[in-house]
Amino acid sequence: GGYDDGNDADGNGPADTNIGSSHQTSDGRTVSITYQNTQDGSSSDNPVTSKMASALNSVLDSDTGVDSIDISATTNGSHNPNSAHYTGNAVDINIINDVHVGTSGAGFDNAQALENAAMNDPNVSYVEGPAGNFIRSSPTADWTAASRESGDTTHVHISVFK
């Protein structure tokens, strides 16, 4: 956490960076990025902080098995009151390589690979999904298991440090 002065020189605000419809990875792949609306009808195609956008690109670079993702939430939707979504510091991904995230088969395997890639990025503070929920207190701290909540197995959530 920390006070956000609105100056984006540190990458943590404001939420003014568009993720876009694709990402060209460092190994030459093009990852397709699509967006869904949340239950209230609001689009997930919203700007995030530059730190979140950069971390997502890093995750997509690191997970060499991903060809496409569907983002189900950025700043839209209903989340916990202190959620990083509201400040543009989190994304939810519910479909990877055209398979819905889940607890078995390709839905689990894809999610686990994306969670592992996210945990390799020093800007990522919290990861949740069917492979587990993990949190760390600083970019160099060890990951520890975090509490599980209903719905955690239907998407991969990635948050960055504010």
Side-chain angles (χ1 to χ4, degrees):
Y3 174 71
D4 183 1
D5 57 10
N7 176 344
D8 200 33
D10 55 6
N12 66 1
D16 62 0
T17 304
N18 289 310
I19 295 171
S21 60
S22 66
H23 170 66
Q24 189 73 33
T25 65
S26 54
D27 63 358
R29 292 172 295 117
T30 300
V31 177
S32 171
I33 303 171
T34 53
Y35 301 87
Q36 287 188 353
N37 291 348
T38 45
Q39 289 178 341
D40 62 4
S42 57
S43 173
S44 62
D45 188 3
N46 300 307
V48 295
T49 62
S50 61
K51 187 182 285 186
M52 182 67 247
S54 176
L56 180 60
N57 289 340
S58 171
V59 168
L60 296 176
D61 285 348
S62 180
D63 182 354
T64 58
V66 67
D67 297 313
S68 66
I69 60 170
D70 189 274
I71 296 177
S72 54
T74 50
T75 57
N76 60 313
S78 178
H79 307 279
N80 292 330
N82 295 322
S83 172
H85 281 286
Y86 297 121
T87 56
N89 286 302
V91 297
D92 288 348
I93 298 165
N94 68 337
I95 297 174
I96 305 166
N97 296 343
D98 299 320
V99 178
H100 202 287
V101 169
T103 57
S104 63
F108 178 85
D109 294 343
N110 293 342
Q112 184 174 39
L114 199 69
E115 284 188 64
N116 288 339
M119 292 170 70
N120 285 325
D121 186 290
N123 289 311
V124 174
S125 61
Y126 179 69
V127 176
E128 80 178 30
N133 293 2
F134 304 95
I135 192 166
R136 64 179 165 186
S137 58
S138 75
T140 57
D142 290 335
W143 288 97
T144 58
S147 61
R148 304 287 283 170
E149 296 177 15
S150 173
D152 290 352
T153 60
T154 63
H155 63 278
V156 173
H157 170 99
I158 301 169
S159 298
V160 294
F161 289 103
K162 292 181 182 179

